[in-house]
Amino acid sequence: MTAPRTGNDARPRLIDFWHDLPREGKLLLSIVVIQFLGTGLVLPFHIVYLAEVRDFGYANAGLLIALQPLVGLVAAGPGGSLIDRLGPRTVMATALGCLVVGGVVIASASTLPVAALGLGLNGLAFGIEWPAAQSLVASVVPSRIRHRYFGINFALLNLGIGLGGIVGGLFVDVERVITFQVIYLADAVSYLPAIVLLLGPLRHVGGRVVAATADDGTPAARVGYLDVLRRPGVASVMALGFLASFVGYSQLNAGMQAFAREVGEVSTRGLGLAFAANTAVIVLLQLVVLQRIEGRRRTRVIAVMGVVWAASWLLLGATGLVPGTAAATVLLAACASVFALGETLMQPTLPALVNDLATDDTRGKFNALSSISFQSAAIISPPIAGFLVGHGLGTAYVAVLVVGSLALGLAAVGHLEKRIDPRVNGIVADEPTPAPGDADAAPTLPASGIV
């Protein structure tokens, strides 16, 4: 008779995760779909709204859209320090407030300066909201189930974006500016439930972190970004994040579309089909993948992700062999679907690596560095992709992505794995359930509790 599986060999069930998740984590997950439903409403239509509906032209619209990640990149560093000083909840609530205001401003943006103000507010908010959100999650979700939280959050996020995109596509009309104003206002409203949670039921978590003290009881020296980067494995994790962004998300959002249109001659409808397939695979497979990677070394999961992404880019390259045909559209949808499988491997691993490396008093800086690594790649990737595709170097473009994806996997196993503690890498020996007060236990709330 086969012995029952225990510890790392046991496949976790969703109901087990939900049972182990603190109430604060359940509340955070409860509003993910709502928040990203608003994101999905506007995400596919930024360029259309600015260039065609507001008549700013594509050149100005491109500059306006580039303003958002640039502001976010500049804001991430100071934002990380604020998170460590004020706590992630306060910073996150402020960022969400900026997103509400930004959405209202963009909805009324009849001139370039007003549009720039709205997108700048959004960029500022996104630059600090992402590391604040990751830090808040890490402060309320125990380390042993944190990777599952990040994975399920990613599936819900994509579900919201997918539903929002469908609704937005059916609702907007380029001949009626009011339809675009409505979706931008709806996007602004979608952040309000999260703000209510942070100011109400979650007001007792994610607060100021007690400053570390030296052995003699005096306040320890303030930890800066260079101090963080000098810690074992940190620079390697951030470099891995940069490479993952460069060969991954940045290409999905820009380079893949350029190659598909210019080389594969895929229609805009075909592009929409590819993104729908991408979202569907994430929503359907994320929970399955979470079960399969439980107890595996996170670096090895990233290595598999690199191989999967390399395969997806080969499928993209194949669209150039049958340009302008239905086969090219099918290959592009296959590319986006295989890429989505890689996404389901990455989302539970990289954020968990970052937050398990961090300490409570430096978590904001860790997540800010992670955000900077991703956004830096997002800024430089589109010009590189545009240059290669625009100069007839599509084969070289695909080769760069395939080699880069494989290099990502090799770096994870051959370099990072040797520099981080096995516990950080997701390997935890069988041990009793942590008692209250243990490092891995759910956070203890004040006597007043959550109301």
Side-chain angles (χ1 to χ4, degrees):
M1 181 181 293
T2 304
R5 291 173 298 179
T6 60
N8 290 340
D9 294 326
R11 295 272 167 78
R13 299 175 302 169
L14 179 59
I15 192 171
D16 296 328
F17 164 76
W18 191 253
H19 177 269
D20 294 340
L21 190 64
R23 187 186 179 196
E24 299 85 354
K26 294 173 183 176
L27 288 171
L28 286 172
L29 279 180
S30 70
I31 47 86
V32 171
V33 172
I34 297 173
Q35 180 174 329
F36 285 92
L37 181 68
T39 302
L41 284 172
V42 301
L43 188 62
F45 306 112
H46 285 318
I47 192 77
V48 175
Y49 174 65
L50 296 170
E52 298 183 28
V53 178
R54 287 303 185 181
D55 201 26
F56 295 148
Y58 277 95
N60 286 328
L63 291 173
L64 286 169
I65 291 175
L67 178 66
Q68 188 164 297
L70 283 172
V71 173
L73 182 65
V74 173
S81 297
L82 283 174
I83 292 167
D84 290 335
R85 183 173 299 179
L86 304 177
R89 184 184 59 83
T90 299
V91 175
M92 185 175 174
T94 303
L96 292 171
C98 287
L99 286 171
V100 172
V101 176
V104 174
V105 171
I106 294 172
S108 60
S110 58
T111 64
L112 280 170
V114 175
L117 174 62
L119 290 166
L121 283 170
N122 278 4
L124 171 66
F126 284 129
I128 60 177
E129 191 269 343
W130 189 83
Q134 301 287 84
S135 299
L136 182 63
V137 168
S139 72
V140 300
V141 178
S143 174
R144 65 185 183 279
I145 60 171
R146 204 174 284 155
H147 61 288
R148 286 182 241 166
Y149 181 97
F150 286 130
I152 291 172
N153 179 81
F154 185 61
L156 294 174
L157 177 157
N158 275 274
L159 177 62
I161 290 177
L163 292 174
I166 293 171
V167 173
L170 294 173
F171 180 74
V172 296
D173 180 355
V174 293
E175 301 300 327
R176 300 171 61 213
V177 67
I178 185 65
T179 61
F180 285 84
Q181 290 176 312
V182 167
I183 64 170
Y184 276 102
L185 291 174
D187 181 37
V189 170
S190 71
Y191 297 108
L192 294 178
I195 295 175
V196 171
L197 272 183
L198 293 172
L199 299 181
L202 297 179
R203 66 181 181 274
H204 298 302
V205 299
R208 294 174 183 265
V209 176
V210 178
T213 57
D215 293 338
D216 59 2
T218 59
R222 188 177 299 277
V223 178
Y225 279 101
L226 288 179
D227 300 309
V228 169
L229 284 170
R230 291 190 185 105
R231 295 183 180 180
V234 174
S236 298
V237 170
M238 300 309 166
L240 210 65
F242 175 88
L243 186 55
S245 179
F246 182 82
V247 301
Y249 286 110
S250 302
Q251 304 305 333
L252 182 72
N253 295 328
M256 185 192 81
Q257 300 170 47
F259 186 96
R261 292 288 293 157
E262 186 70 17
V263 181
E265 299 178 12
V266 177
S267 67
T268 54
R269 181 169 294 181
L271 284 176
L273 174 65
F275 277 93
N278 176 271
T279 299
V281 168
I282 291 170
V283 172
L284 293 174
L285 291 188
Q286 183 67 82
L287 295 180
V288 176
V289 168
L290 278 172
Q291 290 184 312
R292 298 296 177 183
I293 67 175
E294 183 74 17
R296 310 288 184 184
R297 287 181 174 87
R298 289 163 179 167
T299 49
R300 309 253 173 122
V301 175
I302 293 171
V304 174
M305 178 195 77
V307 174
V308 170
W309 277 359
S312 74
W313 298 132
L314 288 173
L315 288 169
L316 176 65
T319 64
L321 302 177
V322 286
T325 65
T329 300
V330 171
L331 284 167
L332 183 65
C335 163
S337 299
V338 173
F339 184 88
L341 175 60
E343 292 181 82
T344 66
L345 293 167
M346 188 191 80
Q347 285 300 325
T349 50
L350 266 180
L353 274 173
V354 171
N355 282 283
D356 282 356
L357 277 171
T359 55
D360 287 342
D361 60 333
T362 60
R363 202 172 298 284
K365 293 184 179 68
F366 271 81
N367 283 297
L369 284 171
S370 180
S371 177
I372 289 169
S373 68
F374 266 76
Q375 292 191 65
S376 298
I379 290 172
I380 69 170
S381 293
I384 293 174
F387 176 85
L388 291 174
V389 173
H391 286 77
L393 300 172
T395 301
Y397 170 69
V398 172
V400 167
L401 297 187
V402 171
V403 171
S405 298
L406 295 175
L408 173 65
L410 288 174
V413 174
H415 180 76
L416 178 62
E417 190 169 300
K418 302 172 183 177
R419 286 163 172 77
I420 57 176
D421 186 276
R423 288 180 63 89
V424 173
N425 205 12
I427 302 299
V428 182
D430 289 344
E431 55 190 26
T433 302
D438 286 354
D440 246 11
T444 302
L445 298 178
S448 56
I450 296 295
V451 295

